[in-house]
Amino acid sequence: MEREYLKKGIYNVKAISKKLGIQPGTLRAWERRYKIVTPKRNEVGHRIYSEHDLMVLKWLVDKVQQGFTISQAVDLLLEEEKNLTSLIPSDEILNLKKEEIQKKIFNSLLEFNEVEAEELINYALSFYQVETILMDILLPIAKSSEGITKSITEGQLRYIKNWIRIKTLSIYQRIPIRPILPKVLTISASDELDELVIIILSIFLRLRGFEVYYLGQSLDKKIIMTLLHKLDPVFLFTIETEELTVINHLLPWLYENFSHVKLGILGAKSEESQKHHLGESMKEWENWLNANLNTNDMLMNS
């Protein structure tokens, strides 16, 4: 998935020129003369560049800054075909980078260094989709910090978990609602880590075009009933904990009052709730959604 993401058009001419530190006219001249990248076109015909294009161009800019002419730099790139392919990291390297970035962000937060943590997240965005950063980097930090309380103070633990929660919520709130797919209501339990997983699921859904409404930490039936009547969602997603079994608390009531609403459960504990289990990975979430959506609303494989 990540390798495909690196080839997806993201940057316009102005944005990529700024990242490279060269003029748009220089970039266009390089493209025309050397055919070094082939940017895609958006719906109005403007060129858009991928992360892979950025990597290729950055490699060339670095060579020019080392004293090579652009012609020599292009020749070097073409002569060493492995350079071109290695610009897209292998899956093994990408996984190692996740671990490295995760450790550095954790250490930055231990030192209350938000500036460095933000820089590391921006760096991670060069390689990974935002959901991957949340699911595979920030969520494990929140989980691991809770498990090593002997070596960090309570203040550090509270700070790290709260920073990750605020960061995740801010990402959710910045994603515009594009109601391409059905309405969804998401609800978390009272546990902070469980809430974080539900917010990440909400981001995953909103990025794919679902009209998502995150209720927060509440399984109060009166509140849920009001929102179900008001929003009329197709899906209701929540998380099950040891203390609160969704099946006993919510499912019979849903069947009786809102039989058209499909229930999806994260962290399913009981045998009955397994029937509604979304799974633990984003791929499993995607498969569950495709199995429960109408044919016209099927998600595209990512």
Side-chain angles (χ1 to χ4, degrees):
M1 185 196 299
E2 304 302 341
R3 294 168 72 86
E4 293 173 5
Y5 168 67
L6 292 174
K7 296 179 181 179
K8 182 180 178 181
I10 299 174
Y11 307 107
N12 60 21
V13 173
K14 183 178 180 181
I16 200 165
S17 297
K18 186 175 180 180
K19 281 183 170 289
L20 294 168
I22 63 175
Q23 294 297 317
T26 301
L27 177 58
R28 292 191 185 97
W30 287 6
E31 284 179 42
R32 284 195 302 269
R33 183 165 184 178
Y34 301 106
K35 313 294 184 191
I36 46 179
V37 293
T38 52
K40 296 178 175 62
R41 299 271 177 174
N42 63 15
E43 59 274 8
V44 294
H46 296 155
R47 297 195 305 285
I48 50 173
Y49 299 80
S50 66
E51 289 289 353
H52 179 230
D53 294 332
L54 177 60
M55 290 176 186
V56 172
L57 291 164
K58 183 69 169 65
W59 189 90
L60 292 169
V61 169
D62 288 345
K63 292 299 179 187
V64 170
Q65 290 175 345
Q66 292 169 23
F68 294 93
T69 66
I70 181 59
S71 177
Q72 291 170 332
V74 171
D75 286 343
L76 281 173
L77 190 63
L78 295 177
E79 284 172 12
E80 301 178 27
E81 291 185 355
K82 64 179 182 179
N83 285 344
L84 184 60
T85 56
S86 66
L87 289 171
I88 299 182
S90 68
D91 292 335
E92 183 180 358
I93 291 173
L94 285 170
N95 287 332
L96 288 172
K97 278 189 176 292
K98 279 184 197 173
E99 295 176 11
E100 176 189 349
I101 294 168
Q102 184 185 117
K103 288 177 182 176
K104 287 183 177 179
I105 291 175
F106 178 67
N107 289 332
S108 297
L109 294 176
L110 276 179
E111 298 297 324
F112 302 93
N113 190 341
E114 292 190 18
V115 172
E116 186 174 81
E118 290 283 358
E119 289 174 350
L120 287 163
I121 287 177
N122 290 334
Y123 171 71
L125 285 167
S126 300
F127 301 97
Y128 311 107
Q129 293 170 293
V130 66
E131 314 101 293
T132 301
I133 294 172
L134 295 172
M135 194 76 165
D136 295 348
I137 296 177
L138 293 186
L139 180 60
I141 291 174
K143 288 181 176 178
S144 64
S145 64
E146 192 170 70
I148 56 171
T149 51
K150 290 182 179 179
S151 58
I152 64 175
T153 66
E154 180 64 24
Q156 286 172 310
L157 174 63
R158 297 295 313 146
Y159 169 75
I160 290 170
K161 291 172 70 174
N162 197 49
W163 188 90
I164 291 173
R165 179 182 179 274
I166 292 170
K167 170 59 65 177
T168 307
L169 269 174
S170 70
I171 291 170
Y172 168 75
Q173 290 166 344
R174 287 201 303 268
I175 301 169
I177 295 179
R178 296 174 298 144
I180 301 168
L181 293 170
K183 291 180 181 177
V184 172
L185 181 63
T186 57
I187 306 169
S188 71
S190 58
D191 182 83
E192 291 173 322
L193 291 178
D194 290 336
E195 182 193 24
L196 194 56
V197 175
I198 284 290
I199 298 170
I200 293 172
L201 173 64
S202 301
I203 290 169
F204 173 89
L205 294 167
R206 189 171 273 192
L207 284 170
R208 281 152 182 78
F210 286 92
E211 191 173 340
V212 183
Y213 297 91
Y214 172 57
L215 177 59
Q217 298 180 5
S218 176
L219 284 176
D220 184 284
K221 290 178 183 176
K222 289 183 179 179
I223 295 174
I224 295 173
M225 179 179 287
T226 300
L227 289 174
L228 289 175
H229 278 302
K230 180 74 174 177
L231 298 172
D232 191 27
V234 170
F235 296 108
L236 170 63
F237 295 120
T238 188
I239 192 162
E240 189 166 65
T241 65
E242 295 290 352
E243 294 76 24
L244 181 63
T245 57
V246 175
I247 291 301
N248 295 334
H249 181 77
L250 207 57
L251 190 58
W253 175 79
L254 268 179
Y255 279 155
E256 182 179 346
N257 297 280
F258 300 93
S259 58
H260 65 287
V261 177
K262 297 176 182 178
L263 178 66
I265 302 173
L266 290 170
K269 305 294 181 184
S270 67
E271 183 177 340
E272 181 66 23
S273 62
Q274 286 290 333
K275 298 175 184 177
H276 305 272
H277 190 216
L278 270 74
E280 303 302 325
S281 68
M282 289 185 287
K283 188 61 181 176
E284 289 176 317
W285 296 352
E286 191 172 87
N287 291 339
W288 189 96
L289 288 163
N290 277 331
N292 287 275
L293 281 168
N294 295 326
T295 305
N296 291 339
D297 290 332
M298 294 288 278
L299 292 175
M300 293 189 65
N301 291 328
S302 55

